[in-house]
């Protein structure tokens, strides 16, 4: 159960102060033109615990492009609608390759290694396009339900920006389709995929949304089960092993929590039965993860003594 003797706010303040004056390493993502416009010095953190308390510092209420963090939400929705059938089309192994690798797909005959690399997320997108008349509305409805915040939305400018440079993603969906692992039109799948990546949320929004993964699939203060305990266990296991592309081992080693990163500079992590925490800092390390975000979460698990290991 949640620990009452940890002063999370004091710990977050300490993390914010420790990193305030340190030089920032990493580069803001530039291959999506809109992301390149985000100031590199943005930095915020928000922790939401299972007692319903919020702790934060910095730019934690400013919305940013969640990018690949959205893959956790689409996976959740796909597991709700098709259950274990999903695993016939996408694997559950770490990739060890960059998130947009094409060579791996060839070796694996069109079955993506896991749902958090781009190819896997596109198969998940295809599942949602098949199962919902309006998959974009269904995804937003799911987010609105688990957060209670109906202002969360896509950023059409970012979605258009993704499309303008989406050559590799076009190649990937076509390649998946050639193996028979995409049922819908390439355009429909990519339209959904570019929109899911463009969702704009703050650290606070994300911690609020991810609390279901720390709370057996339930929203805080409600007995309503959005996901089963078994589904949450699977989603968290995949975050632990696959949530950071080819740096998942490093994140497990340094931080020790299930989590998911996005090239917008956000990282969300959960400690089952304790909290969900989000940190945002746009400059990315060479593997595509927020450099300051990873360092901040390492400090959090070190200072609290809470990791899952």
């Amino acid at each position: 159960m949640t620990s009452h003797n940890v002063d999370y706010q004091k710990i977050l303040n300490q993390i914010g102060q420790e990193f305030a004056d340190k030089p920032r390493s990493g580069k803001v993502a530039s291959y999506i033109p809109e992301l390149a416009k985000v100031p590199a010095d943005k930095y915020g953190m928000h922790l939401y615990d299972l007692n319903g308390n919020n702790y934060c510092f910095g730019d934690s209420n400013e919305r940013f492009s969640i990018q690949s963090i959205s893959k956790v939400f689409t996976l959740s929705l796909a597991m709700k609608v098709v259950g274990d059938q999903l695993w016939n089309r996408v694997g559950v192994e770490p990739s060890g390759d960059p998130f947009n690798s094409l060579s791996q797909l060839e070796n694996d005959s069109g079955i993506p290694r896991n749902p958090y690399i781009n190819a896997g997320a596109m198969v998940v997108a295809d599942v949602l396009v098949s199962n919902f008349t309006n998959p974009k509305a269904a995804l937003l409805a799911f987010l609105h339900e688990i957060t209670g915040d109906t202002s969360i939305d896509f950023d059409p400018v970012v979605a258009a920006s993704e499309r303008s440079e989406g050559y590799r993603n076009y190649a990937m969906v076509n390649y998946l389709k050639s193996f028979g692992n995409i049922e819908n039109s390439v355009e429909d799948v990519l339209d959904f995929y570019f929109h899911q990546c463009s969702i704009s949320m703050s650290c606070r929004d994300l911690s609020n949304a991810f609390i279901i993964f720390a709370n057996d699939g339930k929203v805080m203060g409600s007995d309503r089960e959005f996901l089963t305990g078994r589904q949450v266990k699977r989603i968290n296991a995949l975050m632990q092993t696959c949530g950071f592309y080819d740096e998942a081992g490093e994140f497990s080693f340094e931080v020790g929590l299930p989590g998911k990163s996005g090239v917008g500079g956000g990282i969300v992590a959960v400690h089952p039965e304790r909290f969900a925490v989000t940190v945002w800092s746009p400059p990315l390390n060479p593997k595509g993860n927020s450099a300051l975000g990873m360092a901040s979460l390492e400090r959090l698990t070190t200072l609290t003594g809470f990791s899952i290991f």
Side-chain angles (χ1 to χ4, degrees):
M1 215 16 238
T2 343
S3 179
H4 293 277
N5 54 4
V6 176
D7 189 340
Y8 285 123
Q9 190 59 56
K10 185 179 174 192
I11 288 170
L12 287 195
N13 292 345
Q14 182 179 336
I15 294 168
Q17 282 157 2
E18 279 181 21
F19 290 111
D21 303 322
K22 288 194 177 163
R24 303 282 162 93
S25 64
K27 291 189 173 136
V28 176
S30 58
Y31 67 92
I32 299 166
E34 275 304 304
L35 294 189
K37 299 176 183 175
V38 179
D41 61 353
K42 292 289 179 185
Y43 179 35
M45 196 165 179
H46 188 103
L47 186 147
Y48 183 36
D49 75 8
L50 250 60
N51 294 323
N53 301 310
N54 290 281
Y55 309 93
C56 62
F57 71 75
D59 301 307
S60 61
N61 280 321
E62 184 173 332
R63 288 186 168 166
F64 58 90
S65 189
I66 70 168
Q67 295 293 317
S68 284
I69 297 170
S70 65
K71 294 170 182 174
V72 183
F73 300 133
T74 55
L75 173 63
S76 302
L77 203 49
M79 286 173 75
K80 273 173 79 76
V81 291
V82 298
D84 288 344
Q85 286 177 301
L86 182 64
W87 311 119
N88 299 329
R89 295 179 57 188
V90 59
V92 295
E93 293 296 332
S95 69
D97 275 332
F99 59 87
N100 56 1
S101 169
L102 282 163
S103 55
Q104 198 168 60
L105 265 185
E106 180 155 31
N107 298 337
D108 297 342
S109 307
I111 303 291
R113 285 281 168 95
N114 66 72
Y116 294 152
I117 52 174
N118 287 17
M122 286 164 188
V123 171
V124 170
D126 182 61
V127 167
L128 297 179
V129 171
S130 292
N131 280 276
F132 291 101
T133 318
N134 186 337
K136 287 187 281 194
L139 176 58
L140 286 183
F142 176 67
L143 282 174
H144 295 164
E145 273 193 294
I146 62 172
T147 60
D149 185 344
T150 55
S151 69
I152 293 168
D153 205 349
F154 305 114
D155 183 332
V157 180
V158 172
S161 187
E162 306 237 6
R163 180 187 302 279
S164 72
E165 296 295 327
Y167 309 115
R168 196 176 184 91
N169 287 328
Y170 273 94
M172 199 168 280
V173 179
N174 277 296
Y175 201 42
L176 285 163
K177 199 163 173 73
S178 75
F179 283 105
N181 204 3
I182 293 287
E183 295 170 356
N184 297 281
S185 82
V186 168
E187 279 299 334
D188 286 350
V189 172
L190 282 170
D191 179 60
F192 177 77
Y193 180 76
F194 292 143
H195 276 84
Q196 78 169 67
C197 289
S198 82
I199 291 169
S200 188
M201 293 172 76
S202 66
C203 293
R204 185 186 182 105
D205 295 334
L206 282 164
S207 294
N208 186 8
F210 267 70
I211 203 75
I212 64 170
F213 305 114
N215 195 35
D216 283 332
K218 297 185 187 79
V219 172
M220 290 289 295
S222 151
D223 285 334
R224 181 162 170 213
E225 200 176 62
F226 282 85
L227 294 160
T228 65
R230 181 172 174 269
Q231 288 169 330
V232 168
K233 175 183 151 187
R234 302 283 187 270
I235 291 164
N236 285 347
L238 283 163
M239 280 199 272
Q240 189 71 54
T241 54
C242 311
F244 296 84
Y245 317 123
D246 42 339
E247 203 173 22
E250 179 74 12
F251 190 81
S252 270
F253 182 77
E254 295 287 350
V255 178
L257 295 174
K260 186 73 197 82
S261 61
V263 295
I267 300 179
V268 194
V270 294
H271 192 304
E273 298 182 5
R274 284 195 199 276
F275 59 73
V277 60
T278 308
V279 59
W280 175 46
S281 169
L284 309 178
N285 67 20
K287 304 275 183 160
N289 298 313
S290 169
L292 183 55
M294 286 186 71
S296 303
L297 290 169
E298 188 280 326
R299 290 301 286 148
L300 177 70
T301 53
T302 298
L303 292 167
T304 58
F306 294 153
S307 85
I308 65 165
F309 299 110

